[in-house]
Each structure stands twice: as C-alpha cells, then as structure tokens.
Amino acid sequence: MATKVLIVEDEEQIARFVELELRHEGYSTGKAADGRTGLSMAESGEYDIVLLDIMLPELNGLEVLRRLRKTSEIPVILLTARDSVMDKVSGLDLGADDYVTKPFAIEELLARIRVAMKKKGTAAKDDAGKLVWRDLTVDPAAYSAVWDNVPIELSKREFDLLALLLTNRNIVLGRDTLLQKVCGYDYVGETNVIDVYIRYLRAKIDERFGVHMIQTVRGVGYVIKDE
Ligand code: CA
C-alpha cells in the first residue's frame, strides 16, 4: 500500500507542488488548507504522515500539533519559515518528528519523509503495516487479527477499537475520543458503548490468551502499553 501523506498548507501553490512531487514518487496524498480541517484529517487514521505548515488559518500548526499529540503518534514534519527558531523549538517540544525550512528543495523533504517513516516503522509497525503486540498481529489492510496463528473473530467496531489502541500504544485514549473515532461524531447511542466493546475485546484476547493487554486508566480511558 502506498504511504499516505497529509499536506496541511494554506499556500495553494506550495501545497500543489508538494502534492505533485509526492505523487510522482508513488505516495498518495490528501490536502487541507486550514488548521481545523488538517487536524480532523490527521486524526482520521487514514494517513501515515503529516506535513504541517505553521502559519495557518483557523488553528495554527503548533496548536494543531498540540491537539493531535493527545490522541496520535503519527509522524509530523513541520514546514517552518526561515527565521522562526522559536517555532522549530516549540514544534519539537510539542512532538514534531522533524522540520524543513521554507523554501525547501523537494529532495530534502522526500528524505525527511523517508526518515520519519522508517522511525515509525521500527517503533510500532512491521514493514507490512501490521500492528504487533506480543503474539498478537493485527493487519488493518486485511481486517484480520491473529494470536500466534490463532484467528480472532472481531466485529468491525471491536477491530477499529483494537487497531486504534495499538496504533496509539502508550497513549491513554479517553472514552470520548474512542467513541468519536470508533462510532463516528454523530453517534447518539449509549455512551458506555466503548466499555462494552472493551469487555468483548478482553474476553476475546486478554482472557482467552491469559494476558493483560488493555489497561483501564480510572476516570480517563484505556491504553495498551509496550511490554
Ligand atoms: Ca502558511
């Protein structure tokens, strides 16, 4: 599967140029021209990496990054102006993986993307984009989950919830965040539905295979931690 790059940049010419170059290199791309749209696209889980301009309408890039880091470890490369040392420092403090200074050569940006993706690859995913925790292997592309070659039957929402927790391992995800991402923003059913799906997942994985994978953080939400 092609790596999906989200370009959050309000200068249409730059965004278009980067998009064409990335597609030429075999990436697939999405674009957002303001911070608010960029944040919700970045949170959607559809992208592998974000190129984030700092001076943006609606929400600036640093604020987008700050909010994004509450729920996601997706690699972020900041696009900064030449003289904004403060932006670079705060950006890295806020959890940006890297930055490039505008105007940049496309080769430099491509190199930074490759480095950031490689880092991510060794951190959480194997080469095929699968999510692995101990003997559990979850393959988002194939919608399959196996424990040491034993298939685990999961409903779509159970699967989405599990993949979300695995993608954001070591980050505590609140019930509201999980609810929005798993059930959608317009969900109007029971608010404890996430607790119910967590129970199902624990029965199908934790109890069945004798592990303590999904941890409850009382009053906050849930987390899967690295072993
Ligand atoms: Ca801008």
Side-chain angles (χ1 to χ4, degrees), residues 9-11 53-56 102:
E9 167 64 80
D10 60 322
E11 286 158 82
D53 183 30
I54 289 187
M55 297 293 286
L56 287 169
K102 289 200 253 187

Side-chain angles (χ1 to χ4, degrees), residues 10-95:
D10 60 322
E11 286 158 82
E12 173 59 28
Q13 262 189 314
I14 296 179
R16 185 73 190 140
F17 166 70
V18 171
E19 179 177 52
L20 288 173
E21 292 288 343
L22 288 177
R23 288 193 178 168
H24 183 71
E25 293 291 321
Y27 293 98
S28 52
T29 56
K31 278 192 301 183
D34 67 80
R36 206 167 288 281
T37 310
L39 177 62
S40 71
M41 288 172 78
E43 284 178 329
S44 70
E46 282 177 40
Y47 293 91
D48 301 304
I49 184 167
V50 182
L51 308 181
L52 182 60
D53 183 30
I54 289 187
M55 297 293 286
L56 287 169
E58 306 251 351
L59 280 181
N60 75 48
L62 293 178
E63 184 58 22
V64 170
L65 178 62
R66 195 181 67 76
R67 297 191 189 185
L68 180 63
R69 277 292 174 257
K70 289 182 180 172
T71 60
S72 170
E73 285 187 294
I74 185 172
V76 172
I77 297 176
L78 293 174
L79 311 178
T80 69
R82 180 174 289 284
D83 49 1
S84 57
V85 176
M86 279 311 292
D87 284 348
K88 290 168 195 166
V89 172
S90 347
L92 294 173
D93 280 349
L94 285 169

Side-chain angles (χ1 to χ4, degrees), residues 120-131:
K120 178 191 176 188
T122 52
K125 289 183 168 186
D126 73 11
D127 289 340
K130 293 173 182 170
L131 301 160

